[in-house]
Amino acid sequence: MTRIERVLTGDAAEIRVAGRLDAHGSSALERELDDAVRSGARRLRLLLAEVSFLSSAGIRVLLKAHQAAAGLGGELQVAEASPAVLDVLRLGGLDDLLDAGGKATAAPGPQPFETVAGVVGRVHSLPAGGAMTCRLVGDPDRLPAGAFDAASTTGLPFPPGTLGLGLGAFGESFDDCRDRFGEFLAVAGAAACLPTDGARAPDDVMARGGLVPKVQALYGVACSGPFSSLLRFDVGMSAGSLPLSRLVAAALELTGSPAAAFVVVAESAGLMGAALRRSPVGAGDLFAFPGVRDSLSFTAERVHERATALVVGVATGTEGTALAPFVRPAGAAPLPAVHAHAAAFTFRALPAGAPSLEAMVRGLFEEERLLALLHLLPDVREIYGSGESLFLSGALWAAPVVPAAREGGPK
């Protein structure tokens, strides 16, 4: 019988194990280590003084956790070891896993916690940051009637250093995409589209060499430029999971601007939203009942819990901005207003400190599975509403935006 106890303090987890770390016990330890990392632990301290047997399966679990912690800017150390554990680790040349009495060099102290719009975390100013320039293309008001044609389509390239979202598809022209237009998002040289041709599986393209993702957009927002701020937030410090509206408010406060572009990479506590089920081109009254059930899928309750969510959005905290046709209330209140799309991936932990957005996005698209793509919308109906999308620990990148004149829509 293997017994495991865990104590989590900030980014440190102390895990005490008693019994055998054989195939069965090692699986239990692997789950415990995974849960600790999901909870924000980056420094893992194992107390194995009461372990009577360590098998090859146990060694594999220790090595995997050691490598994962190092990749996240942390470490795994065996702080206490029984003679049986010591013999196996030393004979296997794994002395580096042993805590040699504080042999590690002390890292610089972390930045202090700050509270930004009710979100507690560490704020990092990004030296290259400034205001992003945003193109507003197409006319969202055409969506309900499906009144789109070739003249209302704009080809949008998304090289590294850009982000965007809206309705579009991968293809060469309007005619090529006519039956596949759906939600899309793009950031850091990667783009994903949800085709409406019945496949219901998101497609994605990543920038490589001369290849640049390009989306044929019916309408959308495309921004270019660097982010100015990064907020690493921890749900343990913010009294529960964080609704999208609070993260949007934090993005606006970080930038000190009436409008902001933002990206969130975080563990999801459940996403709320909608996605088109058929292309809006020539669809007639897309939202009329009962046909709306065939045109649009809604999440009646939160979905994709414990996935890693990549959220791309633009937001405003004031009325009457150029973004107004493209945004909707983030929560129950009219403001802040937001347009945000989320891609859900299999779970991937974030490195400690100030991670590279480009590296995170590439890791998600290349090493994790893209599960879904949603237009995030709150369900604020009284009694029956399921509320907003919720997030746990993660990172928020933000920049002020300067919207350009509308293209392909009323001026």
Side-chain angles (χ1 to χ4, degrees):
M1 180 70 177
T2 303
R3 302 189 312 277
I4 302 177
E5 300 174 356
R6 170 162 56 99
V7 176
L8 181 65
T9 306
D11 68 347
E14 186 173 270
I15 299 173
R16 183 180 298 276
V17 185
R20 293 171 60 86
L21 281 178
D22 50 16
H24 177 74
S26 298
S27 295
L29 177 59
E30 186 172 26
R31 289 192 297 271
E32 198 71 32
L33 288 165
D34 182 62
D35 283 344
V37 171
R38 283 177 177 270
S39 299
R42 299 295 179 262
R43 293 179 291 125
L44 306 171
R45 191 167 183 261
L46 298 182
L47 309 180
L48 307 183
E50 299 177 70
V51 172
S52 58
F53 175 74
L54 176 63
S55 72
S56 293
I59 292 174
R60 285 193 293 270
V61 168
L62 296 181
L63 286 174
K64 179 182 176 182
H66 176 69
Q67 293 166 356
L72 296 172
E75 63 176 359
L76 177 143
Q77 291 286 310
V78 178
E80 296 178 8
S82 67
V85 171
L86 277 175
D87 286 345
V88 172
L89 293 180
R90 286 175 173 163
L91 288 172
L94 302 175
D95 299 64
D96 286 348
L97 295 180
L98 298 171
D99 184 356
K103 64 181 180 182
T105 303
Q111 293 178 251
F113 284 103
E114 300 180 41
T115 301
V116 183
V119 180
V120 180
R122 291 189 170 99
V123 177
H124 303 264
S125 295
L126 303 180
M132 288 188 177
T133 300
C134 284
R135 296 174 61 189
L136 307 176
V137 301
D139 184 3
D141 291 336
R142 293 185 179 186
L143 177 61
F148 297 107
D149 53 27
S152 57
T153 307
T154 304
L156 295 176
F158 289 104
T162 64
L163 64 84
L165 71 161
L167 281 187
F170 292 128
E172 297 301 318
S173 65
F174 173 82
D175 288 334
D176 182 28
C177 299
R178 174 188 294 273
D179 298 324
R180 292 182 288 109
F181 285 111
E183 290 77 13
F184 78 86
L185 64 74
V187 64
C193 292
L194 184 61
T196 51
D197 56 3
R200 303 305 301 155
D203 293 324
D204 63 89
V205 177
M206 288 207 65
R208 293 180 184 278
L211 174 65
V212 172
K214 185 175 182 180
V215 176
Q216 300 295 330
L218 297 179
Y219 70 79
V221 180
C223 303
S224 61
F227 288 100
S228 59
S229 300
L230 164 62
L231 172 64
R232 283 303 304 269
F233 57 89
D234 186 340
V235 67
M237 300 287 183
S238 298
S241 52
L242 295 165
L244 177 65
S245 60
R246 193 175 303 173
L247 292 176
V248 170
L252 291 166
E253 184 171 317
L254 280 171
T255 62
S257 171
F262 67 92
V263 172
V264 173
V265 180
E267 183 176 359
S268 163
L271 302 177
M272 292 293 301
L276 288 173
R277 301 183 62 153
R278 61 184 175 124
S279 174
V281 175
D285 194 347
L286 200 67
F287 302 138
F289 186 82
V292 65
R293 294 180 294 187
D294 298 320
S295 302
L296 201 64
S297 62
F298 295 91
T299 54
E301 56 188 21
R302 293 187 184 93
V303 295
H304 303 300
E305 294 182 39
R306 304 203 74 181
T308 292
L310 169 65
V311 182
V312 177
V314 291
T316 180
T318 60
E319 296 180 348
T321 69
L323 284 174
F326 293 84
V327 296
R328 297 292 181 269
L335 295 172
V338 66
H339 189 168
H341 289 183
F345 293 86
T346 48
F347 178 77
R348 185 181 186 87
L350 270 72
S356 160
L357 175 60
E358 290 73 16
M360 282 301 307
V361 169
R362 184 163 292 277
L364 287 170
F365 278 91
E366 291 186 342
E367 300 176 23
E368 305 300 332
R369 185 159 58 94
L370 177 55
L371 304 171
L373 186 59
L374 278 176
H375 181 160
L376 297 186
L377 294 169
D379 182 358
V380 294
R381 296 172 299 170
E382 292 186 14
I383 303 177
Y384 300 108
S386 296
E388 297 182 40
S389 298
L390 299 177
F391 302 90
L392 303 174
S393 302
L396 164 68
W397 289 262
V401 299
V402 180
R406 290 273 295 279
E407 302 175 28
K411 301 296 189 282

